Amino acid sequence: MLDTLVKEGYVAKYDLVEDGTAAKNIRITLKYGKDKNEKIISGLKRISKPGLRVYASSENVPKVFGGLGTAIISTNQGVITDKAARKLGIGGEVLCYIW
């Protein structure tokens, strides 16, 4: 999912960090505009939850704010954006909306 966010321009980079324990942490560097107070991500909404999975068919892939935002969808092709899902003509589980 982080690879998709990097490709879409919402995240600058991410790194896997080992702190000596068995668990690994992910360090995410967010992206900002020219002015450091200008945020690239203004909102994020989780759609699918463990108790309620939300699926979209290839005809009903959601558009976020009329195409200004991005829906992240888990498909049999991997985790992709709503634009890529429409282009491939596939549906899947809607994970979240980002705008």
Side-chain angles (χ1 to χ4, degrees):
M1 186 165 144
L2 286 171
D3 288 330
T4 304
L5 293 176
V6 170
K7 286 178 192 172
E8 286 295 309
Y10 290 109
V11 174
K13 65 177 183 172
Y14 68 94
D15 299 311
L16 293 175
V17 179
E18 294 185 35
D19 58 359
T21 62
K24 292 183 181 179
N25 294 320
I26 300 174
R27 181 179 298 143
I28 300 172
T29 305
L30 296 177
K31 199 170 188 180
Y32 291 93
K34 292 180 183 177
D35 180 16
K36 292 296 179 186
N37 293 328
E38 183 184 351
K39 298 181 261 181
I40 299 296
I41 298 176
S42 60
L44 178 104
K45 183 176 182 183
R46 181 179 177 185
I47 303 301
S48 278
K49 299 176 177 128
L52 179 63
R53 303 288 185 190
V54 177
Y55 295 95
S57 65
S58 59
E59 298 85 28
N60 296 326
V61 174
K63 281 190 177 182
V64 182
F65 290 125
L68 296 176
T70 304
I72 304 295
I73 301 172
S74 177
T75 67
N76 59 354
Q77 303 282 319
V79 178
I80 59 175
T81 63
D82 58 335
K83 295 170 187 91
R86 268 189 229 91
K87 191 176 193 180
L88 294 171
I90 57 176
E93 181 182 356
V94 182
L95 300 177
C96 64
Y97 294 157
I98 301 173
W99 62 92

